[in-house]
Amino acid sequence: MIIAFHESTPLVDNLSNPLRADKISPTRANDAIRLPTSAEQKKVQKLLQQWPKSLKLTTPIPPNCRTVVVKQHFDPILNPTSIRSFPFLWKSVDIYRSPLPFREIDSLSTQLRSDNLLFPLHFHAIFVGFGPDPDQLHRSILSEITKLTSENSKCSSNYTLSVTLDLGSRCLRSPTSSPHSSSYRCGSITATDFVQNDDVAVDERLASVFGRKTKEYSVAVVKGGSERAVVGKHRHAWMVVDDGSEVEAAVVKVAELLVKVFINGGRDEGSIRNEFMPVGADGKIVLSFNLLNADPLDWVYDWDFEKIDDALLAPMIEALGPVANISVESQVLYHTPKASFSYWNQKLESYVFSTRDLPFFVNSNEWHLDTSIAAGGRSKILQFAVYVPSAKECPLLLQLPNGVMSKTNGFTSPMWGGVIVWNPQGCLKDSEFEPSAKNIIPMQDLENMFEVFIGQLRQLFGFKSANVYAGASGDWNLLPSERGFTEWELEVLSRQQACFNLHSCATTLGSLSRLVQSLPRMIIMDEIGKQVKFSLEAAKLALSNASSGVYESSAASSSQARSLAEDAFFHPSIMSVSYYSFEHCFAVYSPFFLPVSMHVVLAALRELRRYKQEKAKYLVWKAKANTPS
Amino acid sequence: MALLRRPLLLLLLIVTHQFLQSWIVFGSVNEEGQKQEEFYEELLLKPLPDRKLLTHFHFQSSAPPSSSNGRHHHLFPKAISQLVHKFRVKEMELSFTQGRWNYESWGGFDSIPSSNAKPPGVELWAVFDVPQHLIDALWKNLTHTLSGLFCASINFLESSTAYSAPEWSFPPASGNLRYGTLPREAVCTENLTPWLKLLPCRDKAGISMLLDRPSIYRGFYHSQRLHLTSTGSGSEGLDPSIILEQTLTVVLLPNSQRASLAHASEKHIQPSWSLSSIFGKEVSGKCVLAETSNVYLLLDRGLVAELKQLRKENEKSAEKVLTSENNWINPSFELSAKPDRIFIEESSLLSKNPPILYKFEVEKYSESEPFDLGLTWKIPVVWLCQQAPLHASRFLMGSGNERGAIAISLKSTQSSEGFVGANFDDERCELQVDVFQVVPWYVKVYFHSLQVFVDQQPKAVSDIIEKIHVSPSKDKVSPGVMELVLKLPCSVSSAALTIEFDKGFLHIDEYPPDANQGFDIPSAIVSFPNFHASMVFLENDSLNKSPLLSKFQEKSPVMSYTEVLLVPLTTPDFSMPYNVITITCTVFALYFGSLLNALRRRVAEEERFLKDKAAKKTGRLPLLLSKLSAKLRGRQSEPPHSTPGSSSLVNSKLVFKVILVAGLARVEMYADQVEGAGKRSVKERLNVNSFDNSIPRRQITGKRQRQDEKWEHDLYQDVPQVSNRKVDARDLRLKLQKKSLQQVSQSGRGALSGVRDLRDKLSGTMNPQPVNADPPKLKSNAAKPARRSVAVETSEPEPKKAATMTERKKAQQKADASVEGFLQSLGLEKYVITFQVEEVDMTALVHMTDNDLKALGIPMGPRKKIILALESRG
């Protein structure tokens, strides 16, 4: 605290105004005007000499001046030097706050809130062997689509539809055809392509026809053949209908495909799972695989994880690259019993663990599924555990709520991971089995296990693990990809990721700006300002990419925006909010200002009293003066 | 023929040799051509001379070089591997210790104390495999990670004031080493649980089942250590292999219930113990994941010698019995389990009594037949453990919160075999001692004040210290580090190093919550690089090598840690800032208030007003009252009679000065009076002369000094110096005595005269003397403040009484002074006080006889002098 006291700078004024003295008080008027004695004059001069040198007397003291009135001037607040020192004082108690772009943050969040993030999608419906009016079909499909789409989702898509009627030799196109769809050469798809029963071959055939580069979703509706509907691994689907079927039924089914599968990824809309992606704030996922030997005294199992990692996991991780940066770890743990009990089922000759008890399966006391050191602070860790039951509870089966045994013998926990129970061969057939020898899980079993794990990961991302989409107007077969996720699924994920990240970035930045504005005495480092700036830039880039339909880069830059926003929000310097409470201020300043204000108040009161007295006197005098005259 | 057969034989030899070699190489490799991760568990038990038992758990996990280290693991803890991988750790050791290793009775030469005796609290050091400029950042991240991993406040080692970089005195000497300790860290189960988590079997099976928390933490010493080394950084993209060594060393006192039950003659028998009695648990088989699982019982050199000695007394053929196969039941002690093997230390076979190691394989035992090793002593045994060549201890010297000194004292342990390994030159036998000391920055060490004493004789530093490396501390940046290599003669019996320091001041927020407890100086490390603790126990099967025994075989330099020192620093009153604020603000407010008062006042008007009043009421009481109120209001006695033109008063500076001087004078006067009165009254009460009175004071002042001397006496035992100091002290005492006398004698006079002077200068309401002396001068002096003259005029009637009083006082004073002067002229000023106490003035003195003086307690010589002088005066 700087308290600057300024020397009172006395000013000598009115030296040349001899009458001023008379005006000071009415009582003075009664006194005889008295000339100053020589001694007094000397004294005045001496006093004046003692005053600071800076003080300049504008006029010399007249030798015959009658009264000298010296007025002292004490005004620290209005004093020019003190005014000049105020900025310095202000600066010294100022707190460094890097300017944050509050307005841009607000505009980002309002932009995201008001007009939904629109992803442009191009649909292309090809009808082979159907009636002659593409515009009619176009209209009917669009009306079906608008029936199905709901407006409550955060991110919707801005779709365009083009319809082509393939008449073999010539095309009839709807007027609003995108450049992509016009590149389709009619006659390249014929009903004979779909005769064969091999869906994968058909899929490849269609992929070669549509080209892998195009960003549009195509549906081919072919008349003639056994009825079936398949969604391929790429961005297309096909439907074979009977010769006699109506076009309306096909239109409804196509519209449902476009909305439910290609836009929403075949998931139930509005479920919580869709909102949350199991991706860390820094856009990373660590898949931690654990092999849990419940009791190594019975048997010890090991696995050859490296092989599985290369064979099964690596392609999937590469495929998920645009959505998240995934790394894989594994470990084998021992002495890890489950937390809850199972009961013996005589009919199945195995121990059964019911779904009701599943929350108690994971034994967090004994299962040391560590958080990974290699992972960064805000990475998401998904735990996958293979549970090898001990001899006491082997074989162990999981029972679904409807009483049926689980086929995969595993379960998932959203945002946490999944567990598979694997029963070793030894306990199934009571063969002689040397205990406590080190065994290796057979490769075949391991592969099955990891297929289940990939299914579980798909579930964690919100997809169905089943290969059939059961819509209201009929089922669609979904062709599974060897990479775990098909192309259109990955695009759904990218869109969802971009949407989720942008919203989360906007909310984080919004709360940061609210926090910063609510705490005016909080220090804000330059680094935070930079992070906020870069985050906003990345968010803008993600928005522009999204609107131009580049989902992958949109997802990447949106995750960057989110991680930067989180970095800014969780910056360590923000945590140490400078504690400068009002109470503290009070404790520091009140010892000074209380006594001073007391003086000021007393002086003011005294002045007031005097003024009243003087006024009363003056009135009396005036009355007196008036009455004689 | 013979010539022809020789090359064939040679060829055969070469072929078989190569085959053998390749066979050996592939022997440790499994079918897939990849080495596996391995885990070993071992326990060493060793009876200690002071009825205690050392238990040393040793677990070792190793990960072979592989491309997937840090990602995929089967036995090795993933967390540790990731740690090594992420922070590029080459070697690291972390220890949590509670209690202090008792080097004197538990030994200091073995492999166990030299690598497992650790300073209390947390010690962490790490060697990094990165360029110099990256090390500090890695260290900081490592401390954070470890603190999360082990639930300890290791993250306090992050700050650069908490760790240091020893150059060469710390044994794994390397430029990339960082070393830090937290002496105050409390160790508990929270730290043990994560440590156990790193073991594949945790404490569920195997030897680690014995780790019963209550019995471990009841021990006298326990140190939980984690050491990891990563070797051979991969050439073909392979990660280095990692060896993780986890040890837990516990010193326990077995329950000696039997000794108390038995009669008194058996009290000297060492307490018998078994695993179940000390841990409350038994080992039910090995951890299935461990390659080996062994328990060892070690009888050290001294004990073996003692046992042999005892046996010799009993029977002649003692030599073979102790080491023969069937010796586990012998007359001196009995083991409850049959050892699987008995090892005799190899390297010291030459000496008479090699240590003996009994090996028990846990593998053979199961849940139905648990392993419970017990040892029952039959006869009392007394022996000593092998000591390090010098016993190091460290202590603080000096008192007070300003400065002090650290002393490291090394005392020879007089062990007969101790200096075997020393450099024996022909005439000069030298003992090399490395000392490594870290001091926190607030202990500001003066390195020039380093002193060396050998056999209690001060020695030139350059004679003893061969090599020194010092990095001085920087305030709030880095601690001070001192590394020394001492070369002491082999015949040394004691040596000491002292170094002085000043205690620094910390910023208010650098104090820990319990600031009054003091601050710790971490242990100094004293190592003897020429002495190596190693024990070689040869095993016949090289395939199944025990890591504990191979650890014993390593040549590790003998090391010992000194005590942790507790330095009290000045702890501030934490409410002081507010007190200071309040005081300064009060002063400022007073200043401001008086200024405001002075500015606001219309002097001329008030003068007139008062004059009017005075004209009306000339009574004395209201006058006094008005004056008093004026004083209270403005601290300016405004007299009613004012001379015109008194505007000069408005000069606030002058007013303020006057007030200040008056205030100070009053305070001074008051203080002097009190002081003088106080002294005199004390003396009267005690009725003793000034000699006695000065002694306690000397004690107070000399306390600090004497404490300083204390250790010097220990080191020097130098009588003349002490006596010198005594003379000095007496000088000081004399001085003090004189001073006090002078003070006392002057106090009365000085204070009074001071008062007079001040009154002279000031308004003079009490002392009319100068006014009376020359009133005309006052009148002529117009420049003088008018108020003063007024005061003189107005207070004319009042001060007469005061004047008479003061005059009377003054007369008495004069007489006293003359007694004093008289005595001073005789050189007997020390008796002045005696006369003053008895209120003897000059007139009384003249009438005093020899007997009177005797009654005053004045000795013969001075008495005669006084009487003679009086006679000559009279």
Side-chain angles (χ1 to χ4, degrees), chain B residues 692-705:
Chain B
D692 301 335
N693 208 19
S694 67
I695 288 164
R697 194 179 306 168
R698 189 257 154 192
Q699 277 176 341
I700 292 159
T701 51
K703 200 174 180 182
R704 193 192 116 74
Q705 201 179 11

Side-chain angles (χ1 to χ4, degrees), chain B residues 179-306:
Chain B
Y179 173 91
T181 54
L182 292 172
R184 201 175 284 185
E185 182 75 11
V187 182
C188 62
T189 30
E190 277 171 29
N191 309 120
L192 185 66
T193 310
W195 184 84
L196 281 173
K197 223 166 82 174
L198 303 176
L199 303 174
C201 283
R202 301 206 299 284
D203 53 351
K204 301 283 176 199
I207 287 173
S208 49
M209 267 180 87
L210 288 175
L211 292 171
D212 172 48
R213 308 303 205 285
S215 30
I216 290 170
Y217 290 98
R218 210 188 293 135
F220 285 78
Y221 170 87
H222 81 92
S223 172
Q224 159 200 335
R225 192 170 136 260
L226 179 137
H227 183 115
L228 61 92
T229 36
S230 71
T231 44
S233 59
S235 47
E236 319 113 32
L238 291 182
D239 288 322
S241 70
I242 310 165
I243 294 172
L244 170 71
E245 186 189 309
Q246 287 173 267
T247 64
L248 179 71
T249 313
V250 188
V251 174
L252 292 159
L253 183 66
N255 293 333
S256 52
Q257 285 171 341
R258 213 194 62 154
S260 60
L261 288 171
H263 39 82
S265 66
E266 287 194 357
K267 259 191 179 164
H268 298 293
I269 291 188
Q270 293 271 329
S272 301
W273 50 263
S274 68
L275 286 181
S276 56
S277 78
I278 50 175
F279 290 115
K281 284 176 181 174
E282 294 164 331
V283 183
S284 57
K286 71 172 215 172
C287 168
V288 287
L289 304 155
E291 304 285 316
T292 57
S293 177
N294 297 325
V295 175
Y296 299 96
L297 175 68
L298 178 69
L299 305 183
D300 69 356
R301 206 173 297 245
L303 180 56
V304 170
E306 178 69 19

Side-chain angles (χ1 to χ4, degrees), chain B residues 30-48:
Chain B
N30 71 355
E31 308 83 55
E32 288 154 32
Q34 215 175 14
K35 273 179 119 185
Q36 292 289 309
E37 291 171 357
E38 284 166 344
F39 173 67
Y40 301 89
E41 54 171 7
E42 277 154 312
L43 167 66
L44 180 94
L45 300 159
K46 182 186 167 189
L48 292 173

Side-chain angles (χ1 to χ4, degrees), chain A residues 40 43 47 74 302-303 305-306 309 329-331 334-335 366 368 370 373 584 596 606-607 610, chain B residues 68 71-74 78-79 82 86 197 202 204 289 578 589 592-593 599-600 602 605 644-645 648:
Chain A
E40 276 174 344
K43 203 166 79 185
L47 277 171
F74 178 80
D302 203 348
W303 57 8
F305 191 85
E306 285 88 340
D309 185 16
E329 290 171 3
S330 81
Q331 62 181 343
Y334 309 90
H335 294 285
E366 304 282 356
H368 296 294
D370 280 304
I373 290 174
H584 178 83
V596 162
R606 213 168 279 155
E607 282 299 295
R610 182 189 159 274
Chain B
S68 63
R71 296 203 293 130
H72 305 307
H73 288 282
H74 304 273
K78 189 174 79 176
Q82 286 177 343
K86 191 172 183 184
K197 223 166 82 174
R202 301 206 299 284
K204 301 283 176 199
L289 304 155
Y578 290 97
F592 179 83
L599 286 172
R600 191 198 56 80
R602 289 167 181 78
E605 190 183 325
S648 62

Side-chain angles (χ1 to χ4, degrees), chain A residues 450-480:
Chain A
F450 275 80
E451 275 161 19
V452 175
F453 274 143
I454 287 173
Q456 290 187 339
L457 185 67
R458 282 170 57 87
Q459 279 191 334
L460 292 176
F461 273 107
F463 290 113
K464 290 251 164 59
S465 53
N467 284 334
V468 176
Y469 172 73
S473 57
D475 293 353
W476 286 89
N477 277 333
L478 307 179
L479 265 191

Side-chain angles (χ1 to χ4, degrees), chain B residues 560-580:
Chain B
S560 59
Y561 287 84
T562 63
E563 301 91 337
V564 169
L565 292 179
L566 197 62
V567 184
L569 289 188
T570 37
T571 37
D573 173 10
F574 291 105
S575 66
M576 203 178 66
Y578 290 97
N579 295 347
V580 169

Side-chain angles (χ1 to χ4, degrees), chain B residues 25-217:
Chain B
V25 164
F26 282 107
S28 57
V29 170
N30 71 355
E31 308 83 55
E32 288 154 32
Q34 215 175 14
K35 273 179 119 185
Q36 292 289 309
E37 291 171 357
E38 284 166 344
F39 173 67
Y40 301 89
E41 54 171 7
E42 277 154 312
L43 167 66
L44 180 94
L45 300 159
K46 182 186 167 189
L48 292 173
D50 58 347
R51 309 170 65 83
K52 295 193 181 75
L53 176 71
L54 171 78
T55 56
H56 177 68
F57 294 85
H58 186 273
F59 305 101
Q60 183 171 314
S61 316
S62 61
S66 138
S67 56
S68 63
N69 265 3
R71 296 203 293 130
H72 305 307
H73 288 282
H74 304 273
L75 271 179
F76 196 82
K78 189 174 79 176
I80 294 296
S81 179
Q82 286 177 343
L83 190 97
V84 169
H85 199 250
K86 191 172 183 184
F87 302 114
R88 312 285 301 280
V89 177
K90 213 168 159 195
E91 196 173 357
M92 188 193 94
E93 188 176 271
L94 171 70
S95 67
F96 295 87
T97 311
Q98 205 163 46
R100 206 176 102 72
W101 182 265
N102 189 345
Y103 285 96
E104 274 163 328
S105 54
W106 303 342
F109 202 92
D110 290 337
S111 318
I112 295 172
S114 60
S115 59
N116 292 301
K118 289 282 159 192
V122 168
E123 186 199 49
L124 172 70
W125 58 261
V127 182
F128 297 93
D129 190 19
V130 285
Q132 278 290 338
H133 64 278
L134 294 173
I135 292 177
D136 286 322
L138 279 181
W139 167 267
K140 282 171 188 176
N141 287 331
L142 176 71
T143 55
H144 272 275
T145 311
L146 285 175
S147 92
L149 208 57
F150 288 101
C151 289
S153 39
I154 305 171
N155 55 327
F156 286 135
L157 290 175
E158 180 206 14
S159 108
S160 62
T161 55
Y163 67 90
S164 56
E167 293 276 326
W168 36 261
S169 62
F170 195 69
S174 157
N176 293 351
L177 177 75
R178 291 293 178 273
Y179 173 91
T181 54
L182 292 172
R184 201 175 284 185
E185 182 75 11
V187 182
C188 62
T189 30
E190 277 171 29
N191 309 120
L192 185 66
T193 310
W195 184 84
L196 281 173
K197 223 166 82 174
L198 303 176
L199 303 174
C201 283
R202 301 206 299 284
D203 53 351
K204 301 283 176 199
I207 287 173
S208 49
M209 267 180 87
L210 288 175
L211 292 171
D212 172 48
R213 308 303 205 285
S215 30
I216 290 170
Y217 290 98

